[in-house]
Amino acid sequence: MSFERNIKIAPSILSADFADFGREIRAIEDQGADWVHVDVMDGHFVPNLTFGPPAVAAFRRHVKTVMDVHLMIAPVDPYIQAFADAGADFITAHLEAGPHIHRTLQAIRAAGAKAGLALNPGTPVEAAAPLLDMVDLVCLMTVNPGFGGQKFIHCQVDQCKRLREMIGDRPIHIEIDGGVDPETAPLVAAAGADVLVAGSAVFRGGSVDAPEIYGRNIEAIRAAAEGAL
């Protein structure tokens, strides 16, 4: 998987029809999704429950692009191998989820996946500085993790700018997760983000029987982001 800093839209299947994930995944990819974002929540680190490794393995059979698995769980380390075996291309763990994040990132890479580091809105990006040589992606949360459909936290745009300066020439993606839509996408794209996670803004109004609406939503976000570059 070669590194490219162009804008990538990663719909979060947390906003898809839970009874029809296979067709939903195929629909968003056919309509222009670059990555498929899978939010794993444990009801402990965040106040919601979603998917375990068997569900992620089932999704993998339908994903033809990149499966981006965001672990909002604590502890993380006991589950890394299972999510890697389930087919995750990227596994992202939260800096705040445990005391030994460097070890966690090592374990993700040792399991054969690309390593992502997620930061909650209350965590300064400077906390990522000692870890940048260990990661392939930094995910900035622009909402508090746990639920879809939340309002974008605008102070994270400045955090994104600082992170982009810190990364410099390293081949590290900056991912934005939370409240991304055609209004907020240009703000984070101009600040240096290249992977935009969008849930309700992609799935709103569409269905597997009307997938062209997904396509219009994806294109609207992409055009807004690219227009800011």
Side-chain angles (χ1 to χ4, degrees):
M1 193 189 312
S2 61
F3 179 84
E4 296 180 4
R5 211 181 286 284
N6 61 305
I7 295 294
K8 290 164 284 292
I9 309 300
S12 168
I13 61 168
L14 192 63
S15 295
D17 178 355
F18 275 37
D20 208 358
F21 276 122
R23 288 208 299 162
E24 290 277 43
I25 289 167
R26 294 194 297 273
I28 57 174
E29 289 191 329
D30 289 346
Q31 293 296 324
D34 301 289
W35 294 11
V36 174
H37 188 82
V38 181
D39 288 306
V40 175
M41 305 182 188
D42 64 358
H44 167 69
F45 180 66
V46 295
N48 204 354
L49 284 168
T50 58
F51 315 116
V56 174
F59 303 155
R60 177 77 261 184
R61 295 197 295 270
H62 302 279
V63 176
K64 301 295 189 290
T65 56
V66 172
M67 189 163 69
D68 172 32
V69 177
H70 178 188
L71 300 183
M72 289 170 269
I73 66 175
V76 179
D77 292 9
Y79 302 98
I80 289 170
Q81 190 63 55
F83 282 104
D85 291 344
D89 294 302
F90 283 82
I91 296 177
T92 296
H94 274 257
L95 182 145
E96 307 87 0
H100 304 297
I101 187 62
H102 190 281
R103 179 185 298 161
T104 299
L105 296 170
Q106 286 179 313
I108 292 170
R109 285 186 162 179
K114 290 188 177 294
L117 173 69
L119 303 176
N120 284 336
T123 301
V125 292
E126 288 75 16
L131 303 164
L132 290 178
D133 289 330
M134 290 293 303
V135 301
D136 303 287
L137 176 150
V138 178
C139 174
L140 282 185
M141 295 302 301
T142 42
V143 298
N144 288 297
F147 294 97
Q150 297 185 69
K151 189 175 180 181
F152 183 87
I153 298 174
H154 279 268
C155 65
Q156 291 298 85
V157 175
D158 287 337
Q159 290 262 69
C160 186
K161 291 176 183 175
R162 295 205 301 276
L163 177 62
R164 184 70 194 84
E165 292 171 359
M166 289 165 52
I167 286 173
D169 293 333
R170 296 178 178 94
I172 299 172
H173 298 289
I174 298 178
E175 179 175 77
I176 299 295
D177 188 352
V180 172
D181 60 25
E183 292 185 2
T184 57
L187 305 178
V188 293
D194 63 294
V195 181
L196 306 184
V197 176
S200 54
V202 166
F203 287 94
R204 185 182 296 117
S207 70
V208 293
D209 297 317
E212 65 279 359
I213 297 175
Y214 296 161
R216 290 200 293 269
N217 292 341
I218 289 168
E219 184 51 36
I221 297 168
R222 189 189 310 279
E226 291 178 345
L229 299 180

